[in-house]
PDB file of all heavy atoms in Angstrom:
ATOM      1  N   HIS A  13      13.498   8.795   7.334  1.00 98.00           N
ATOM      2  CA  HIS A  13      14.090  10.197   7.230  1.00 98.00           C
ATOM      3  C   HIS A  13      14.041  10.844   8.618  1.00 98.00           C
ATOM      4  O   HIS A  13      14.917  11.634   8.958  1.00 98.00           O
ATOM      5  CB  HIS A  13      13.391  11.039   6.191  1.00 98.00           C
ATOM      6  CG  HIS A  13      13.806  10.620   4.775  1.00 98.00           C
ATOM      7  ND1 HIS A  13      15.076  10.904   4.315  1.00 98.00           N
ATOM      8  CD2 HIS A  13      13.195   9.906   3.830  1.00 98.00           C
ATOM      9  CE1 HIS A  13      15.201  10.434   3.080  1.00 98.00           C
ATOM     10  NE2 HIS A  13      14.026   9.794   2.741  1.00 98.00           N
ATOM     11  N   SER A  34      37.200  26.742  13.209  1.00 92.00           N
ATOM     12  CA  SER A  34      37.974  27.029  12.007  1.00 92.00           C
ATOM     13  C   SER A  34      37.102  27.067  10.717  1.00 92.00           C
ATOM     14  O   SER A  34      36.002  26.475  10.727  1.00 92.00           O
ATOM     15  CB  SER A  34      39.093  25.959  11.822  1.00 92.00           C
ATOM     16  OG  SER A  34      38.450  24.710  11.536  1.00 92.00           O
ATOM     17  N   CYS A  58       6.934  13.659   2.160  1.00 97.00           N
ATOM     18  CA  CYS A  58       6.171  12.456   2.551  1.00 97.00           C
ATOM     19  C   CYS A  58       4.917  12.778   3.283  1.00 97.00           C
ATOM     20  O   CYS A  58       3.838  12.261   2.993  1.00 97.00           O
ATOM     21  CB  CYS A  58       7.026  11.530   3.315  1.00 97.00           C
ATOM     22  SG  CYS A  58       8.377  10.766   2.370  1.00 97.00           S
ATOM     23  N   ALA A  61       2.369  14.219   0.882  1.00 97.00           N
ATOM     24  CA  ALA A  61       1.838  13.150   0.038  1.00 97.00           C
ATOM     25  C   ALA A  61       0.853  12.257   0.817  1.00 97.00           C
ATOM     26  O   ALA A  61      -0.214  11.918   0.258  1.00 97.00           O
ATOM     27  CB  ALA A  61       2.976  12.332  -0.545  1.00 97.00           C
TER      28      ALA A  61
END
Side-chain angles (χ1 to χ4, degrees):
H13 286 288
S34 69
C58 290

